[in-house]
Amino acid sequence: MKKRRVLAGLMGALAAVGAALTLQLGLTAPGKETAVLKMDPRVMEQAQGFLENLSTLDLEGASAYILGCPKLTAGQEGEGPEKLLWERYWQGLSCSAEGAPYAKDGNLAVDVRVSYPDIAAMTQQAGILAEQLLQQRVDQAESVSEVYDGQGYRQEILDEVLLQAVETAAEQVTQTRERNVVLELTYEAGNWWVVPGNELRDLLSGALDEG
């Protein structure tokens, strides 16, 4: 029974790690001027520049294209399983603009094709591996105290198992997902800026599958 509870806890921890793929996006955009809708070649230049920086994890460069130039972070300060999943997401993220700009809600919009690692499948595989690894630790232990304390499994054992499971899952799971998102740009102060809308937030926070 204890083992079931602990394994349930492990799965909960994995789910929390997946949910922790959140990017802090502070928005300090100034007052918006009236959008000037015109087929300006700078629209695609700005969109492509932003996507190139994003795909290479140049967040400082990407921020310079967003209205208000907010500071972007991508979980670099995390640790353990969370950091590993963040790294896997950004290493596999690829964005490319498709087609010509078009008018949308007073702005110009560009369709973007996004390819990204299947973090959900990776997390699911990590849960399976964690259960197997935990059982191995129990079978290999020479004494009960090596894996159990008065409360159940030792916390350091659980931490090690979870980290190893995520590391292995990140190597084993190679499938990707694709999704189309709309990147909106607005004209202000003589330049085109990427609008920090909901789809962009989902892309930056690894939450495309939640939308």
Side-chain angles (χ1 to χ4, degrees), residues 23-59:
L23 182 147
Q24 299 300 320
L25 177 59
L27 302 178
T28 56
K32 185 178 179 182
E33 298 176 359
T34 301
V36 179
L37 297 179
K38 56 184 179 181
M39 301 313 294
D40 187 334
R42 291 179 299 170
V43 175
M44 287 303 295
E45 291 175 3
Q46 290 293 95
Q48 291 172 344
F50 170 73
L51 295 174
E52 288 173 4
N53 280 308
L54 202 60
S55 295
T56 57
L57 195 50
D58 181 0
L59 297 185

Coordinates of all heavy atoms in Angstrom, one line a residue, residues 23-59:
L23 N 6.7 30.0 -18.5 CA 7.6 31.1 -18.8 C 7.0 32.4 -18.2 O 5.9 32.7 -18.5 CB 7.9 31.2 -20.3 CG 8.9 32.2 -20.7 CD1 9.6 31.7 -21.9 CD2 8.2 33.5 -21.0
Q24 N 7.8 33.1 -17.5 CA 7.4 34.4 -16.9 C 7.5 35.4 -18.0 O 8.6 35.7 -18.5 CB 8.3 34.7 -15.7 CG 8.2 33.7 -14.6 CD 6.8 33.6 -14.0 OE1 6.1 34.5 -13.9 NE2 6.5 32.3 -13.7
L25 N 6.4 36.0 -18.3 CA 6.4 37.0 -19.4 C 5.8 38.3 -18.8 O 4.6 38.5 -18.7 CB 5.5 36.5 -20.5 CG 5.3 37.5 -21.7 CD1 6.6 37.8 -22.3 CD2 4.4 36.8 -22.7
G26 N 6.7 39.2 -18.4 CA 6.2 40.5 -17.9 C 5.9 41.5 -19.0 O 6.8 41.7 -19.9
L27 N 4.8 42.0 -19.0 CA 4.4 42.9 -20.1 C 4.3 44.4 -19.6 O 3.6 44.7 -18.6 CB 3.0 42.5 -20.6 CG 2.9 41.1 -21.1 CD1 1.5 40.8 -21.6 CD2 3.9 40.9 -22.3
T28 N 5.1 45.2 -20.2 CA 5.2 46.6 -19.8 C 5.0 47.5 -21.1 O 5.6 48.5 -21.3 CB 6.5 46.9 -19.2 OG1 7.6 46.6 -20.1 CG2 6.7 46.2 -17.9
A29 N 4.1 47.0 -21.9 CA 3.9 47.7 -23.2 C 3.3 49.1 -23.0 O 2.4 49.3 -22.2 CB 3.0 46.9 -24.1
P30 N 3.8 50.1 -23.8 CA 3.3 51.4 -23.7 C 1.9 51.5 -24.4 O 1.4 50.6 -25.0 CB 4.3 52.3 -24.4 CG 4.9 51.3 -25.4 CD 4.9 50.0 -24.7
G31 N 1.3 52.7 -24.3 CA 0.0 52.9 -24.9 C 0.1 52.6 -26.4 O 1.0 53.0 -27.1
K32 N -0.9 51.9 -26.9 CA -0.9 51.4 -28.3 C -1.4 52.6 -29.3 O -2.5 53.1 -29.0 CB -1.8 50.2 -28.5 CG -1.8 49.6 -29.8 CD -2.6 48.3 -29.8 CE -2.7 47.6 -31.1 NZ -3.6 46.5 -31.1
E33 N -0.6 52.8 -30.3 CA -1.1 53.8 -31.3 C -2.0 53.2 -32.3 O -2.1 51.9 -32.3 CB 0.1 54.4 -32.0 CG 1.1 55.1 -31.1 CD 2.4 55.6 -31.8 OE1 2.4 55.3 -33.0 OE2 3.2 56.2 -31.2
T34 N -2.7 54.0 -33.1 CA -3.5 53.4 -34.1 C -2.7 52.6 -35.1 O -1.7 53.0 -35.6 CB -4.2 54.5 -34.9 OG1 -5.0 55.3 -34.0 CG2 -5.1 54.0 -36.0
A35 N -3.1 51.3 -35.4 CA -2.4 50.5 -36.2 C -2.4 51.0 -37.7 O -3.5 51.4 -38.2 CB -3.0 49.0 -36.2
V36 N -1.3 50.9 -38.4 CA -1.2 51.3 -39.8 C -1.1 50.1 -40.6 O -0.1 49.4 -40.6 CB 0.0 52.2 -40.0 CG1 0.0 52.6 -41.5 CG2 -0.1 53.5 -39.2
L37 N -2.2 49.7 -41.2 CA -2.2 48.4 -42.0 C -1.8 48.7 -43.4 O -2.4 49.3 -44.2 CB -3.6 47.8 -42.0 CG -4.2 47.4 -40.6 CD1 -5.6 46.9 -40.7 CD2 -3.2 46.4 -39.9
K38 N -0.6 48.2 -43.7 CA -0.1 48.4 -45.1 C 0.9 47.2 -45.3 O 1.5 46.6 -44.4 CB 0.7 49.7 -45.2 CG 1.8 49.9 -44.2 CD 2.4 51.3 -44.4 CE 3.5 51.6 -43.4 NZ 4.1 52.9 -43.6
M39 N 1.0 46.8 -46.5 CA 1.9 45.7 -46.8 C 3.3 46.1 -46.9 O 3.9 46.3 -47.9 CB 1.4 45.1 -48.2 CG 0.0 44.6 -48.2 SD -0.5 43.6 -46.8 CE 0.5 42.2 -47.0
D40 N 3.9 46.2 -45.7 CA 5.2 46.7 -45.5 C 6.1 45.4 -45.4 O 5.9 44.5 -44.6 CB 5.3 47.5 -44.2 CG 6.6 48.1 -43.9 OD1 7.6 47.7 -44.5 OD2 6.6 49.2 -43.2
P41 N 7.2 45.4 -46.2 CA 8.1 44.2 -46.1 C 8.7 44.0 -44.8 O 9.2 42.9 -44.4 CB 9.2 44.6 -47.2 CG 9.1 46.1 -47.3 CD 7.7 46.4 -47.2
R42 N 8.7 45.1 -43.9 CA 9.3 44.9 -42.6 C 8.4 44.0 -41.7 O 8.9 43.5 -40.7 CB 9.4 46.3 -41.9 CG 10.5 47.2 -42.5 CD 10.5 48.5 -41.9 NE 9.2 49.3 -42.0 CZ 8.9 50.4 -41.3 NH1 9.8 50.9 -40.5 NH2 7.8 51.0 -41.5
V43 N 7.2 43.8 -42.1 CA 6.3 42.9 -41.3 C 6.9 41.5 -41.3 O 7.1 40.9 -40.2 CB 4.9 42.9 -41.9 CG1 4.0 41.8 -41.1 CG2 4.2 44.2 -41.8
M44 N 7.2 41.0 -42.4 CA 7.8 39.6 -42.5 C 9.2 39.6 -41.9 O 9.6 38.6 -41.3 CB 7.8 39.1 -43.9 CG 6.4 38.7 -44.4 SD 5.6 37.4 -43.4 CE 6.7 36.0 -43.6
E45 N 10.0 40.7 -42.1 CA 11.3 40.8 -41.5 C 11.3 40.7 -40.0 O 12.1 40.0 -39.4 CB 12.0 42.1 -42.0 CG 12.3 42.2 -43.5 CD 12.9 43.5 -43.9 OE1 13.0 44.4 -43.0 OE2 13.1 43.7 -45.1
Q46 N 10.3 41.4 -39.4 CA 10.2 41.4 -38.0 C 9.7 40.0 -37.5 O 10.2 39.5 -36.5 CB 9.2 42.4 -37.5 CG 9.7 43.9 -37.7 CD 10.8 44.2 -36.8 OE1 12.0 44.1 -37.2 NE2 10.5 44.6 -35.5
A47 N 8.7 39.4 -38.2 CA 8.2 38.1 -37.8 C 9.3 37.1 -37.9 O 9.5 36.3 -37.0 CB 7.0 37.8 -38.7
Q48 N 10.0 37.0 -39.0 CA 11.1 36.0 -39.2 C 12.2 36.2 -38.2 O 12.8 35.3 -37.7 CB 11.5 36.1 -40.6 CG 10.5 35.6 -41.6 CD 10.9 35.8 -43.1 OE1 11.8 36.5 -43.4 NE2 10.2 35.1 -44.0
G49 N 12.6 37.5 -37.9 CA 13.6 37.8 -37.0 C 13.3 37.3 -35.6 O 14.1 36.7 -34.9
F50 N 12.0 37.5 -35.2 CA 11.5 37.1 -33.9 C 11.6 35.5 -33.8 O 12.1 35.0 -32.8 CB 10.1 37.6 -33.7 CG 9.5 36.9 -32.5 CD1 9.8 37.3 -31.2 CD2 8.5 36.0 -32.6 CE1 9.2 36.7 -30.1 CE2 7.8 35.4 -31.5 CZ 8.2 35.8 -30.2
L51 N 11.1 34.9 -34.8 CA 11.0 33.4 -34.8 C 12.4 32.8 -34.9 O 12.6 31.7 -34.2 CB 10.2 32.9 -36.0 CG 8.7 33.3 -36.0 CD1 8.0 32.9 -37.3 CD2 8.0 32.7 -34.8
E52 N 13.3 33.4 -35.6 CA 14.7 32.8 -35.6 C 15.3 32.9 -34.3 O 16.0 32.0 -33.8 CB 15.5 33.6 -36.7 CG 15.1 33.3 -38.1 CD 15.9 34.2 -39.1 OE1 16.7 35.0 -38.7 OE2 15.6 34.1 -40.3
N53 N 15.2 34.0 -33.6 CA 15.7 34.2 -32.2 C 15.1 33.2 -31.3 O 15.8 32.6 -30.4 CB 15.5 35.6 -31.7 CG 16.5 36.6 -32.3 OD1 17.7 36.4 -32.3 ND2 16.1 37.7 -32.9
L54 N 13.8 33.0 -31.4 CA 13.1 32.1 -30.5 C 13.6 30.7 -30.7 O 13.8 29.9 -29.8 CB 11.6 32.2 -30.8 CG 10.6 31.8 -29.7 CD1 10.9 32.6 -28.4 CD2 9.2 31.9 -30.1
S55 N 13.8 30.3 -32.0 CA 14.2 28.9 -32.3 C 15.6 28.6 -31.8 O 15.9 27.4 -31.6 CB 14.0 28.6 -33.8 OG 12.7 28.7 -34.2
T56 N 16.4 29.6 -31.7 CA 17.8 29.4 -31.2 C 17.9 29.8 -29.7 O 19.0 29.9 -29.2 CB 18.7 30.3 -32.0 OG1 18.4 31.7 -32.0 CG2 18.7 29.8 -33.5
L57 N 16.8 30.0 -29.1 CA 16.8 30.3 -27.6 C 17.5 31.6 -27.3 O 18.1 31.8 -26.2 CB 17.3 29.2 -26.8 CG 17.0 29.2 -25.3 CD1 15.6 29.4 -25.0 CD2 17.5 27.9 -24.6
D58 N 17.5 32.6 -28.2 CA 18.0 33.9 -28.0 C 16.9 34.7 -27.5 O 16.2 35.5 -28.2 CB 18.6 34.5 -29.3 CG 19.2 35.9 -29.0 OD1 19.2 36.4 -27.9 OD2 19.7 36.5 -30.0
L59 N 16.5 34.6 -26.2 CA 15.4 35.2 -25.7 C 15.5 36.7 -25.5 O 14.6 37.5 -25.7 CB 15.0 34.6 -24.3 CG 14.6 33.2 -24.3 CD1 14.2 32.7 -22.9 CD2 13.5 32.9 -25.3

